Amino acid sequence: RWFLPAHAPSRILRGQIRARQRDFANALADLDAAVAALPGSGDPLAQRGIIRGQAGDVLGALADLTESLRLRPDDAETLVNRGIARQILEDHDAARADFEAAVRADPEFARAHASLSLARVNAGDLRGGLESAETALALSGAGPQSASLRRLRDRLRIELGLPEAGR
């Protein structure tokens, strides 16, 4: 079945809805159609990569996210998502590089700083992890990540022998 490229955003949205319903086969069919309708566009590729990751196809996710970044190399959200895929595949150095690139691409993107914080902590860089966590907290305000970021920040401050925040 064919459809006009103008319908691609609707297919992307329907694919996202189907993925939330855990109907990955139909979600991916919608995203495949959007990718075909918009060749050279990074957004459908990035969305398909996210859904492939949710469906457990991490290598497929990595391929789509990498192709999306070839088209949009400074897309911070896609860099973070590829970094997460790389973490799952235990390519921690490449994941950290993606998170660092995401922070450079969009210094105001709290999720990039939060992801970089965890990558730094996992690499043994507690001070760098603390710095990134504090930046993420400053940027996210009272967002949904705030509680876990505050716990991470406080744990790192204790491990580094620094006074807890607010004391």
Side-chain angles (χ1 to χ4, degrees), residues 94-112:
R96 183 175 173 167
D98 278 344
F99 300 142
E100 289 169 345
V103 166
R104 282 192 306 276
D106 185 355
E108 302 298 312
F109 188 29
R111 186 168 163 235

Side-chain angles (χ1 to χ4, degrees), residues 4 8 20 22 39 76 90 106 122 139 144 167:
L4 299 174
R20 283 189 203 107
R22 314 229 14 107
E90 297 186 13
D106 185 355
N122 289 335
L139 292 170
R167 293 189 184 202

Side-chain angles (χ1 to χ4, degrees), residues 5 10 20 25 29 35 65 67 83 85 90 95 104 114 116 132 144 148 161 165:
S10 298
R20 283 189 203 107
V35 167
L65 294 166
E67 180 64 15
E90 297 186 13
R104 282 192 306 276
L116 180 57
S132 293
S148 61

Side-chain angles (χ1 to χ4, degrees), residues 96 100 113-122 124-136 152 156 160:
R96 183 175 173 167
E100 289 169 345
H113 289 279
S115 298
L116 180 57
S117 175
L118 294 172
R120 285 176 164 174
V121 169
N122 289 335
D125 179 9
L126 301 184
R127 285 200 184 278
L130 175 60
E131 176 186 308
S132 293
E134 288 177 337
T135 302
L152 175 63
L156 290 171
L160 290 167

Side-chain angles (χ1 to χ4, degrees), residues 6-167:
H7 294 121
S10 298
R11 292 302 278 272
I12 293 170
L13 180 59
R14 188 170 71 178
Q16 291 169 332
I17 292 167
R18 287 176 163 173
R20 283 189 203 107
Q21 296 168 339
R22 314 229 14 107
D23 180 5
F24 295 117
N26 285 315
L28 288 169
D30 282 330
L31 270 296
D32 288 344
V35 167
L38 297 172
S41 176
D43 187 49
L45 284 163
Q47 294 302 319
R48 187 174 69 183
I50 291 167
I51 291 172
R52 281 184 169 174
Q54 292 170 347
D57 179 9
V58 181
L59 290 174
L62 183 61
D64 279 346
L65 294 166
T66 298
E67 180 64 15
S68 176
L69 286 166
R70 186 183 66 73
L71 299 167
R72 308 177 308 176
D74 293 328
D75 187 80
E77 187 170 348
T78 303
L79 284 161
V80 167
N81 287 325
R82 186 175 72 175
I84 291 167
R86 287 177 161 171
Q87 278 184 323
I88 292 167
L89 295 170
E90 297 186 13
D91 189 353
H92 299 292
D93 291 338
R96 183 175 173 167
D98 278 344
F99 300 142
E100 289 169 345
V103 166
R104 282 192 306 276
D106 185 355
E108 302 298 312
F109 188 29
R111 186 168 163 235
H113 289 279
S115 298
L116 180 57
S117 175
L118 294 172
R120 285 176 164 174
V121 169
N122 289 335
D125 179 9
L126 301 184
R127 285 200 184 278
L130 175 60
E131 176 186 308
S132 293
E134 288 177 337
T135 302
L137 276 167
L139 292 170
S140 67
Q145 293 186 295
S146 296
S148 61
L149 280 169
R150 279 193 301 277
R151 284 191 300 275
L152 175 63
R153 177 204 57 204
D154 292 345
R155 189 191 91 207
L156 290 171
R157 291 185 71 76
I158 290 167
E159 287 186 35
L160 290 167
L162 300 171
E164 289 183 57
R167 293 189 184 202

